[in-house]
Amino acid sequence: MKFIRVLLFPIVPFYYVITWLRNKLYDLGIKTSKSYDFPVICVGNLSAGGTGKTPMVESLIRLLKDHYSLATLSRGYGRKTKGFMLASQESSAKTLGDEPFQFYTKFKECIQVSVDEDRQNGIYNLRGLNKQPNLIVLDDAFQHRKVKAKLNILLTTYSNLYYKDIVLPTGNLREPRQGAKRAQIIVVTKCPSDLSKEEKNNIESKLKPKTHQSVFFSSITYANEVIGLNNTIALKDLKDFTLVTGIATAKPLVDFLRNEGLSFNHLEYSDHHDFSKKEIETLSKNDLIITTEKDYVRLITEDNLSSKLYYLPIEIVIDNQNIFNELVKTKIED
């Protein structure tokens, strides 16, 4: 795969020019972005890989759900439906996509969850509901410039910071690095928990934030137990098991479990993998399966897996969390 990406390097300048020109047309107002008279928060990234958008959206939900009538709007990657969909009791990962369905499963009592490829259309439909949201969080919409968010939160991973990268197809960037200037908050995600102040300062200096931008650092924390349909198991009590992942980057999870001294076989699939019947049958032969929360919501509906399937919850910890929280609130209230 890396070799093929190198071979495709001659395409990089064309991709760069096309995405740069598209952004320039929006910057100049030739292509128009729609603004709203209520707060819209966009969580996104420049890169095509996983940067931790889902836990960031969940963190924002926890922060704001008691103060706003809140809705999330995602594309619904990998779903079998099209157009606008509002999550309901009949919804599943197949109708919403795995990440929106995860939001619905965890927060259905206090927020509305929706999907639409067209973010403008999604917002229009949400605002037409009887229970009209007055705050919408856009998941993975940094490149969807038809909508002008009040607050843009840009994520970049510690192991693949955008200033070190180039655009697709050889690199991972969806657009040139200067697109980062649209963000008001930049969060370096998946950092080591013991990241030194000196290294943070070094990273921030290389990110070169503008005067309107604030930089934060976050790390992933894992729970000390896995959760199944009817019970939980402490990590320390786990014996041999199969780890199943269908996420962009499984390495942090694998490293964590190995550092816990656990013994397991890892079956790694592509991000948002659509498990076939044959793959489900193969998985069902395992006595104990540990997976991510995103994969869990897709697999738990399989009857021959439900009794042996568990997920490991994660959350993000943001350095200077109180400052981050107050900044978010200030930005959307301005």
Side-chain angles (χ1 to χ4, degrees):
M1 183 65 178
K2 289 183 178 179
F3 178 68
I4 294 174
R5 283 191 162 204
V6 172
L7 290 180
L8 292 173
F9 182 76
I11 301 175
V12 167
F14 296 97
Y15 187 93
Y16 181 99
V17 170
I18 291 169
T19 52
W20 176 87
L21 180 60
R22 176 180 179 270
N23 279 329
K24 200 65 178 176
L25 291 175
Y26 275 107
D27 293 341
L28 295 173
I30 298 171
K31 292 177 73 71
T32 58
S33 301
K34 185 173 177 58
S35 299
Y36 298 89
D37 59 0
F38 59 91
V40 175
I41 301 175
C42 169
V43 177
N45 42 232
L46 295 183
S47 70
T51 55
K53 294 182 294 295
T54 300
M56 175 57 72
V57 170
E58 291 187 353
S59 178
L60 292 171
I61 292 171
R62 293 187 184 97
L63 173 65
L64 301 168
K65 64 182 176 63
D66 295 331
H67 308 284
Y68 292 88
S69 176
L70 192 153
T72 62
L73 176 59
S74 310
R75 173 188 173 188
Y77 189 86
R79 63 186 171 124
K80 305 300 183 183
T81 57
K82 291 184 178 179
F84 178 78
M85 297 284 294
L86 184 68
S88 68
Q89 291 182 345
E90 288 73 41
S91 298
S92 68
K94 290 183 178 180
T95 61
L96 293 178
D98 45 23
E99 289 152 342
F101 188 59
Q102 179 177 321
F103 299 151
Y104 177 71
T105 302
K106 296 175 79 169
F107 300 106
K108 59 187 173 184
E109 301 300 329
C110 53
I111 72 166
Q112 294 168 297
V113 175
S114 64
V115 294
D116 198 326
E117 302 89 342
D118 184 334
R119 301 308 201 278
Q120 273 195 21
N121 186 66
I123 293 173
Y124 174 82
N125 279 281
L126 281 170
R127 292 286 286 179
L129 297 173
N130 289 331
K131 184 183 177 183
Q132 186 183 81
N134 57 17
L135 170 64
I136 296 175
V137 178
L138 304 180
D139 174 29
D140 194 12
F142 197 72
Q143 283 73 41
H144 291 265
R145 298 202 59 187
K146 287 184 179 181
V147 170
K148 187 173 183 179
K150 194 160 192 180
L151 171 61
N152 282 292
I153 300 176
L154 179 68
L155 311 183
T156 182
T157 59
Y158 170 81
S159 61
N160 190 27
L161 295 157
Y162 63 75
Y163 70 79
K164 300 178 180 179
D165 208 349
I166 61 173
V167 297
L168 294 162
T170 301
N172 288 310
L173 299 185
R174 298 170 174 177
E175 61 174 292
R177 285 173 278 187
Q178 56 261 44
K181 67 184 179 183
R182 300 196 304 275
Q184 292 87 24
I185 296 176
I186 300 171
V187 183
V188 181
T189 62
K190 303 182 181 180
C191 297
S193 58
D194 58 351
L195 190 65
S196 68
K197 186 175 181 180
E198 181 181 3
E199 188 170 2
K200 291 175 186 175
N201 290 338
N202 182 50
I203 291 172
E204 185 168 350
S205 68
K206 291 180 179 178
L207 289 174
K208 298 178 180 178
K210 306 298 183 183
T211 54
H212 69 279
Q213 296 179 312
S214 300
V215 178
F216 294 85
F217 296 83
S218 72
S219 58
I220 293 174
T221 61
Y222 295 92
N224 58 10
E225 62 183 11
V226 293
I227 299 175
L229 191 60
N230 297 311
N231 66 319
T232 62
I233 305 174
L235 283 183
K236 61 183 180 61
D237 294 330
L238 289 176
K239 304 302 179 186
D240 291 342
F241 61 88
T242 298
L243 174 67
V244 176
T245 60
I247 56 178
T249 307
K251 187 177 183 302
L253 173 58
V254 172
D255 290 346
F256 169 77
L257 293 173
R258 284 179 177 158
N259 289 337
E260 292 292 307
L262 299 174
S263 175
F264 57 92
N265 175 42
H266 182 201
L267 298 179
E268 186 172 12
Y269 299 89
S270 59
D271 197 15
H272 303 282
H273 180 71
D274 187 10
F275 291 91
S276 67
K277 289 185 178 180
K278 185 176 181 179
E279 288 169 336
I280 296 297
E281 289 176 6
T282 301
L283 290 177
S284 68
K285 296 174 183 178
N286 294 279
D287 294 326
L288 177 61
I289 300 171
I290 308 300
T291 189
T292 67
E293 192 168 2
K294 185 168 78 169
D295 295 310
Y296 181 85
V297 297
R298 282 182 287 149
L299 293 171
I300 192 59
T301 56
E302 303 293 338
D303 292 337
N304 52 351
L305 292 182
S306 59
S307 64
K308 57 186 70 176
L309 188 67
Y310 294 77
Y311 71 90
L312 179 62
I314 67 169
E315 287 189 16
I316 59 169
V317 176
I318 302 174
D319 285 0
N320 300 311
Q321 181 78 62
N322 290 338
I323 296 175
F324 175 86
N325 291 351
E326 290 306 312
L327 183 59
V328 169
K329 292 176 181 178
T330 299
K331 291 291 186 183
I332 63 177
E333 290 169 1
D334 281 347

